[in-house]
Amino acid sequence: MNGTNHNILEVRNLKKYFPVTRGVFSKVVNSVKAVDDISFNIKAGETLGLVGESGCGKTTAGRVILRLDRPTEGNVYFEGEDVFALRGKALMRFRKNVQIVFQDPYSSLNPRLSIGSIIAEGIGAHGIARGKKKKEAVEYLLDKVGLSAGYYHRYPHEFSGGQRQRIAIARALSLNPTLVICDEPVSALDVSIQAQILNLMTKLKKDFNLSYLFITHNLSVVEHVSDRIATMYLGEIVEVADTTEFYSHPLHPYTISLLSANMLPDPKYKKKAIMLKGDVPSPLDPPPGCRFHTRCPVAVDMCRVEWPAPKEFSNGHLVRCHLVDKSDPKPPVKFDVVKQL
């Protein structure tokens, strides 16, 4: 793992509920619990992968950290400062130091602006460079993401999806941030292009001394870019572990079921996927106790009534599951890898 000096980002008991209203007077009758009491940290130079099914709250968590959405409860600390308390110059400094790469490279770039203007916009707004130096900075960034400086005056519609995502990455790097939140940055791209973008992001992490929060549903992608991985289910983080530990010794039944469905690169071998019953419960009315118990193949009575407290082991592996023994951590569910005939 790179750069274990200090926590660059700390998320503590973060909640984000979206009110559901009804009637002429828009009376609040319920709330969508998109993010419900999550905590994690990211160390300087580290990539934390945040994985889970669509709708589990991953993107909402990223947006709240960026202050694009207001939190319902909880705190986020960036370099020791309370993000939600920042005002004026301190807030501008936070905006400069924390950037995002969005999922869709087609809708995240303004079609009315040239590529040069898109990348230079933040540079000018923060007074980093002007005139000729600003143009040189943009050309430098284009080169760093593998594009020609001659693209400066061209427009987004002239580029492919992979090229647009390179432009979006250049824009994110234009303010020389220390943390970049990557919201499904390769999910809209072809598989061959995904590999190129992932390799580019790994290289840029070293060149610019970056930390990443890498949000994705793709377990194959996150394995190759992350130092640690957190599993999210229905607004809650249920497991966090070092990447090697995550794939070799998963403990939560939900993590195990995700990994069982993840394809292996060797066609001679196949995993016996664990088929989960039912659908993901509604975040409007999450089940009591462990939220995964309605689909868990090994749930017991305790799981249905009591919310599992986090159990953290000496190697930093954290899990929320009643069935994991703190003194002898073994996975309550197993899946097998079998050789194909």
Side-chain angles (χ1 to χ4, degrees), residues 12 14 88 108 119 131 183 185 232 253-254 262 278 290 306 339 341:
R12 294 289 173 261
L14 187 64
S108 63
I119 299 173
D183 184 13
M232 197 165 178
Y254 177 60
N262 194 36
C290 173
E306 186 177 333
K339 190 169 184 178
L341 297 177

Side-chain angles (χ1 to χ4, degrees), residues 2-3 6-9 42-48 78-79 97-99 173 177-182 204-206 208-214 227:
N2 299 322
H6 67 283
N7 290 332
I8 191 170
L9 182 77
I42 300 176
K43 296 182 182 298
E46 180 185 42
T47 297
L48 175 70
F78 177 74
E79 295 285 11
N97 287 327
V98 184
Q99 292 290 301
L173 297 178
T178 51
L179 173 66
V180 178
I181 296 177
C182 309
L204 293 172
K205 177 185 174 183
K206 296 178 181 178
F208 287 83
N209 194 27
L210 299 171
S211 302
Y212 288 142
L213 173 59
F214 200 98
D227 298 299

Side-chain angles (χ1 to χ4, degrees), residues 7 16 99 108 118 120 131 134 224 271 303 305 310:
N7 290 332
K16 177 57 182 177
Q99 292 290 301
S108 63
I118 289 171
K134 182 167 70 172
H224 298 290
K271 293 177 181 177
C303 304
V305 295

Side-chain angles (χ1 to χ4, degrees), residues 121-195:
E121 194 170 20
I123 297 174
H126 286 266
I128 296 173
R130 301 192 184 281
K132 184 180 178 180
K133 288 187 177 181
K134 182 167 70 172
K135 187 174 186 296
E136 289 175 350
V138 172
E139 291 174 342
Y140 168 77
L141 289 167
L142 286 171
D143 178 69
K144 292 295 290 184
V145 299
L147 297 175
S148 169
Y151 292 163
Y152 189 97
H153 296 290
R154 294 173 65 176
Y155 287 80
H157 72 270
E158 301 179 65
F159 296 91
S160 67
Q163 289 174 317
R164 291 186 191 207
Q165 202 62 303
R166 290 175 185 268
I167 294 164
I169 293 170
R171 176 180 60 185
L173 297 178
S174 64
L175 300 179
N176 195 27
T178 51
L179 173 66
V180 178
I181 296 177
C182 309
D183 184 13
E184 300 271 13
V186 298
S187 64
L189 308 177
D190 293 339
V191 174
S192 59
I193 306 301
Q194 287 183 11

